[in-house]
Amino acid sequence: MGLNRQFLKSYKKPFRIRVEESLRLFEENSEKLCSYIDASCREEMLELCAKILSPAFDTAFELGFNGKKYELILSPNGNGVSVFVLDYYRKHLTDKLGEKWNVIVGRQPNPNIALQMGDVKVSAEDFDMWLRKDEDSVCLELYCDSLAPLLKNDEDRAYDIMYILLDNTVGELAGMKYIGDVVLLSEKKKEECGSLSQLPAYLAGEFELPDGGVCSPEVFYDSYRGYRPVSVDDSECRYDRDDVFIGVTCCYPLVYEYLNGESGLADRLTSCGICAGYFAYSNERFDGVPDRGAAVLDFREEIQNKIYERTGEDCVLFTGGATGVFGSYIDFIAWDIEALLEAAAEVMKESSLEEAYFHAMRKDGGLLRLI
C-alpha cells in the first residue's frame, strides 16, 4: 500500500514513540523528582515533571507521596477524550518506575478537605444539595452561605471554587462520568435538602462504583452511547458518513465534533501524534443476505478484531462504529497511525473487500484509499 506521505507528515513521531521517550526521561529523572517531593521544592518538582511529560503531552498534573509510593496524578480537566490519552500513558509505565511510582488518571476523592481560596473557606458540609437523577447521571443544585455573596459579584470565581471542591468530594473521573448539570444557587431553596458530603455514597450506591466510590478510567472504555444523525443522505456513497442511520461510540465528543463540522479535539490529538479517524467500506456484499443487519455487524466486528490482533493496544483504541445505507464505519484513536493503516490494508485485502478507505475524524479530511 502506498501511503499518503503528506498526510503522514503530521504523525512523523507517533504518540507511541513520544510516550516511550517520556518514560525514558521519567526513569532518568525519577530519583531527582522524588527528592524534590521529599524536600517540598514545589517549583523545581513542577518544572522537572513538566519536562518529563513534554515529549508526550502538556497536561495538568499533581505530585505527592502516599506513605508507600510516589504519585503522579494526570488530570484530563473535564475532557473525556483525554482520559484515554492519559490512561495509555498510565498503562505503559515501566516495571522499574512501577516499583516506586503510581501514575493515576484524574484527581482522587478527598471528601474531608477544607478548601481555602483567598478569604473563602468551604467544605462539602457547607453545601446544601438538591439532586435529580437521570438515566446515567445526576444533576445538582447547590447552595453555600459562604459563596452566595461571591456569586453575585464574581460568578466565575464562585463556580471555580465549587467545581474544585466537587472534584475533591467525589473524584475527578466520577464527576466527569456521573455528574451532569450543576447550578450554584444564590438563595437556599425551601425544599428538603441533603449535604454535598453525602454525594460520594449516593453515587457509589446508584452506579455501583467499586473501591469506596473511586472511579476507574476503565468505566469510560465500557460506556458506549448510541446516536443517530439528524438526517440520512442516500443520494451517493462518499464514505463521509452522510449515509449513517445508526452508530455507537465510547468517545462521543469526537463523533459530536465531526458531525458538527468541528475539529478542536482532533487537532489537539494530532499535536500529540495521535490520529482520530475511521475506516469505511461498502455494504453492497450484504445486499440480499438474510438478516442483513446482523451480517453487517458481524463482519465489522470480525474486521476490527483481526486488525487489533495485528496491532494491539500499542497502536490503536477502537471506539465504536456506525452503519450506513451504503457503508460501514469503524472508529478509532490511533497511537501509531502508519502501523495501523498498514495492518488494516492487509486485513481488508485478505477479507476480499474490493475497496476500503481511511478518513480522519474531521469533515475537511479527504479519503485515503487502503485497497
Side-chain angles (χ1 to χ4, degrees), residues 282-295:
S282 173
N283 287 332
E284 186 176 358
R285 63 163 55 198
F286 301 104
D287 292 346
V289 173
D291 200 358
R292 181 179 186 273

Side-chain angles (χ1 to χ4, degrees), residues 84-356:
F84 300 115
V85 175
L86 302 180
D87 198 44
Y88 181 97
Y89 192 91
R90 178 188 70 87
K91 288 178 176 178
H92 287 77
L93 192 71
T94 63
D95 291 340
K96 181 179 179 181
L97 286 169
E99 293 174 1
K100 182 169 286 192
W101 286 89
N102 288 328
V103 173
I104 301 167
V105 178
R107 292 185 291 271
Q108 300 300 286
N110 187 13
N112 298 319
I113 190 173
L115 180 67
Q116 181 151 4
M117 296 183 68
D119 57 350
V120 178
K121 184 176 182 179
V122 290
S123 70
E125 287 288 347
D126 298 326
F127 283 78
D128 295 318
M129 176 183 69
W130 298 263
L131 62 79
R132 183 187 77 254
K133 185 176 183 296
D134 293 331
E135 182 178 353
D136 55 4
S137 65
V138 296
C139 297
L140 305 178
E141 290 181 305
L142 301 174
Y143 173 78
C144 176
D145 281 333
S146 299
L147 292 186
L150 184 62
L151 187 61
K152 296 178 181 179
N153 301 320
D154 192 345
E155 183 178 14
D156 288 344
R157 182 164 174 253
Y159 268 88
D160 284 344
I161 293 172
M162 180 270 290
Y163 275 118
I164 292 172
L165 188 69
L166 187 59
D167 273 352
N168 277 280
T169 300
V170 301
E172 186 175 11
L173 296 191
M176 290 172 58
K177 182 69 181 68
Y178 298 112
I179 297 178
D181 293 335
V182 182
V183 177
L184 192 55
L185 303 175
S186 58
E187 296 181 358
K188 185 173 180 177
K189 297 175 68 173
K190 295 180 180 180
E191 291 90 339
E192 185 177 348
C193 65
S195 167
L196 182 59
S197 61
Q198 298 171 310
L199 186 57
Y202 176 86
L203 294 179
E206 287 294 324
F207 302 107
E208 300 180 353
L209 300 183
D211 302 327
V214 175
C215 184
S216 163
E218 297 302 325
V219 171
F220 289 77
Y221 294 90
D222 297 331
S223 300
Y224 281 89
R225 174 178 176 180
Y227 63 92
R228 294 178 183 270
V230 176
S231 62
V232 175
D233 178 4
D234 62 359
S235 60
E236 58 179 317
C237 179
R238 294 175 294 165
Y239 297 118
D240 61 2
R241 302 174 81 114
D242 282 350
D243 66 322
V244 166
F245 57 83
I246 186 66
V248 64
T249 180
C250 67
C251 195
Y252 186 72
L254 276 174
V255 174
Y256 178 85
E257 277 205 347
Y258 176 86
L259 294 176
N260 286 276
E262 301 169 2
S263 61
L265 292 174
D267 290 342
R268 283 188 61 184
L269 292 176
T270 297
S271 70
C272 295
I274 304 168
C275 180
Y278 61 85
F279 298 126
Y281 55 85
S282 173
N283 287 332
E284 186 176 358
R285 63 163 55 198
F286 301 104
D287 292 346
V289 173
D291 200 358
R292 181 179 186 273
V296 167
L297 290 177
D298 288 346
F299 185 72
R300 191 173 82 200
E301 184 176 359
E302 179 185 338
I303 291 286
Q304 178 176 308
N305 290 341
K306 286 181 177 179
I307 295 172
Y308 191 77
E309 286 173 2
R310 301 196 184 193
T311 59
E313 67 174 15
D314 281 357
C315 282
V316 65
L317 169 66
F318 287 109
T319 58
T323 302
V325 174
F326 300 110
S328 283
Y329 305 89
I330 301 174
D331 301 342
F332 60 80
I333 296 174
W335 314 119
D336 187 336
I337 186 60
E338 184 166 1
L340 176 63
L341 293 182
E342 294 282 0
E346 292 172 3
V347 168
M348 291 177 176
K349 187 174 181 180
E350 292 167 4
S351 301
S352 302
L353 286 169
E354 294 185 1
E355 60 180 21

